[in-house]
Amino acid sequence: MDSTRHVLEDGTIISTRERVVRNVSLPLAGTPTAAQSFATDGACPDIAFLKNHFYGEGRVSEEQALWILFTASKIFRGEPNVLIVNAPATGTMSQHRHVDKSAKLISCVLYLWSLKICHPNTVVLLRGNHECRHLTNHFTFRLESVMNKQFLCLHGGLSPELNALDDIGAIERFREPPKTGLMCDLLWADPALDFENTKESFLHNHPFQFLERNNLLSIIRAHEAQDAGYRMYSKSKSTGFPSVITIFSAPNYLDMYNNKAAILKYEANTLNIRQFNCVPHPYWLPNFMNAFSWSLPFVEEKNACRSSKCMQ
């Protein structure tokens, strides 16, 4: 079998030695030095360098990666469960896909953690539902916040056990997420399509009542892919503002949804949503399998055919 050639479903023959997406440059070779990766004071990663380095699919050394992870973890552990964030607030546009099933997952995490190290008081990262040992084993890979005293930002949604923001502050978050309860719902819960008319008992924590009880304007969450990159749910009768907003920042999710992504910017009491599309990236085998594992079944089948012919 000629492993240097591959035939697509339409019969097109491509070279396995070249990239299918020709306009994507080859990965950067080698690992950067400490002088390149870190600022002159040595206390903060060089953000500009790492952004370009990761965008070019470059890698860092294990020692450099562990330093970033452990340093950022100390900052996260010193923060409370609920963060109070003042406006203006915005999400920075990035060429990386901030999602748990990304081929560039490690570079995304290291870049975001580096931003947190350099800007601990202005960069806020929320805990995602896949940040647990069970799911990171499958997909190879924290905090809720209140922004401008108006918006509750979290990954999942409300919980029947959530009455006040103090309930979130009382959570013991330094553990694996449980399968049920308040912490689980904050990471996993999704709003019903028409929750205003839904009568199921497990959805009895109504968003409108929760917002009024806690003097909030809306809930901003992220746990669902959206065709347009965002979705606004039923408006509050008292404020006229959407009670729940979903923002999904991963374009073309899993390389198959063909969805747009969106970021939200809030400044001067004005909320703007910006949409964007995905950028070209290299071809990846299903489930990010390496070429050797992917080719084994074909090699075994070819050898079996040869053995069969020899016996005949």
Side-chain angles (χ1 to χ4, degrees):
M1 185 178 71
D2 185 1
S3 60
T4 65
R5 300 165 69 249
H6 175 67
V7 182
L8 300 178
E9 294 181 356
D10 61 1
T12 303
I13 299 177
I14 60 175
S15 171
T16 59
R17 294 179 175 178
E18 299 178 5
R19 292 198 164 194
V20 176
V21 184
R22 301 292 181 84
N23 61 337
V24 177
S25 303
L26 292 174
L28 297 176
T31 57
T33 64
Q36 292 175 311
S37 300
F38 297 91
T40 54
D41 59 2
C44 177
D46 189 325
I47 298 300
F49 172 82
L50 287 179
K51 179 179 180 180
N52 292 328
H53 185 69
F54 288 144
Y55 183 61
E57 297 186 75
R59 298 184 178 185
V60 296
S61 68
E62 180 178 354
E63 181 182 6
Q64 293 167 343
L66 290 176
W67 185 91
I68 293 173
L69 295 175
F70 285 129
T71 303
S73 295
K74 292 179 182 179
I75 299 174
F76 289 132
R77 287 182 176 275
E79 294 180 331
N81 286 6
V82 180
L83 296 176
I84 305 301
V85 181
N86 296 320
T90 182
T92 301
M93 183 90 76
S94 173
Q95 300 290 2
H96 297 300
R97 295 181 298 156
H98 302 142
V99 69
D100 44 45
K101 301 182 183 68
S102 169
K104 296 183 178 180
L105 173 63
I106 296 300
S107 63
C108 288
V109 169
L110 292 177
Y111 179 64
L112 290 173
W113 262 230
S114 296
L115 287 173
K116 182 65 176 180
I117 295 171
C118 296
H119 309 285
N121 298 320
T122 54
V123 172
V124 177
L125 299 177
L126 307 184
R127 181 169 182 166
N129 61 321
H130 282 199
E131 294 186 51
C132 63
R133 295 183 186 276
H134 172 70
L135 287 174
T136 51
N137 286 337
H138 289 277
F139 298 120
T140 60
F141 255 155
R142 115 209 113 63
L143 292 178
E144 279 54 57
S145 67
V146 178
M147 195 266 289
N148 210 42
K149 299 181 180 180
Q150 294 175 295
F151 304 96
L152 174 62
C153 304
L154 38 73
H155 184 81
L158 298 182
S159 170
E161 300 179 18
L162 179 60
N163 294 307
L165 297 179
D166 288 342
D167 296 333
I168 302 177
I171 294 176
E172 170 51 52
R173 74 173 190 267
F174 300 107
R175 56 171 173 157
E176 292 296 306
K179 296 181 179 179
T180 59
L182 175 55
M183 183 176 179
C184 176
D185 293 337
L186 290 173
L187 298 176
W188 285 96
D190 292 326
L193 296 179
D194 187 14
F195 55 74
E196 188 172 4
N197 298 317
T198 302
K199 304 300 181 182
E200 287 86 346
S201 59
F202 61 88
L203 291 173
H204 67 269
N205 193 349
H206 202 287
F208 296 148
Q209 298 172 1
F210 175 82
L211 294 173
E212 292 178 359
R213 191 164 58 242
N214 289 275
N215 195 29
L216 296 171
L217 186 60
S218 182
I219 298 167
I220 301 176
R221 35 94 59 189
H223 180 227
E224 289 177 300
Q226 303 293 332
D227 289 338
Y230 71 96
R231 178 169 186 165
M232 296 187 178
Y233 291 80
S234 300
K235 294 183 178 180
S236 169
K237 295 179 181 178
S238 59
T239 66
F241 198 87
S243 56
V244 178
I245 302 175
T246 295
I247 295 290
F248 197 78
S249 63
N252 193 21
Y253 183 49
L254 292 178
D255 289 339
M256 60 183 293
Y257 277 61
N258 199 32
N259 63 288
K260 291 185 177 181
I263 59 173
L264 183 149
K265 181 176 182 179
Y266 185 74
E267 186 175 13
N269 290 326
T270 300
L271 187 149
N272 291 309
I273 294 178
R274 181 178 179 182
Q275 298 169 289
F276 56 98
N277 295 311
C278 65
V279 296
H281 60 84
Y283 175 78
W284 295 92
L285 293 170
N287 298 319
F288 307 113
M289 189 185 304
N290 62 70
F292 180 78
S293 300
W294 174 80
S295 63
L296 278 179
F298 302 99
V299 175
E300 292 174 353
E301 181 181 359
K302 193 72 173 182
N303 290 336
C305 292
R306 289 176 178 174
S307 299
S308 176
K309 290 180 180 180
C310 292
M311 293 178 65
Q312 291 176 359

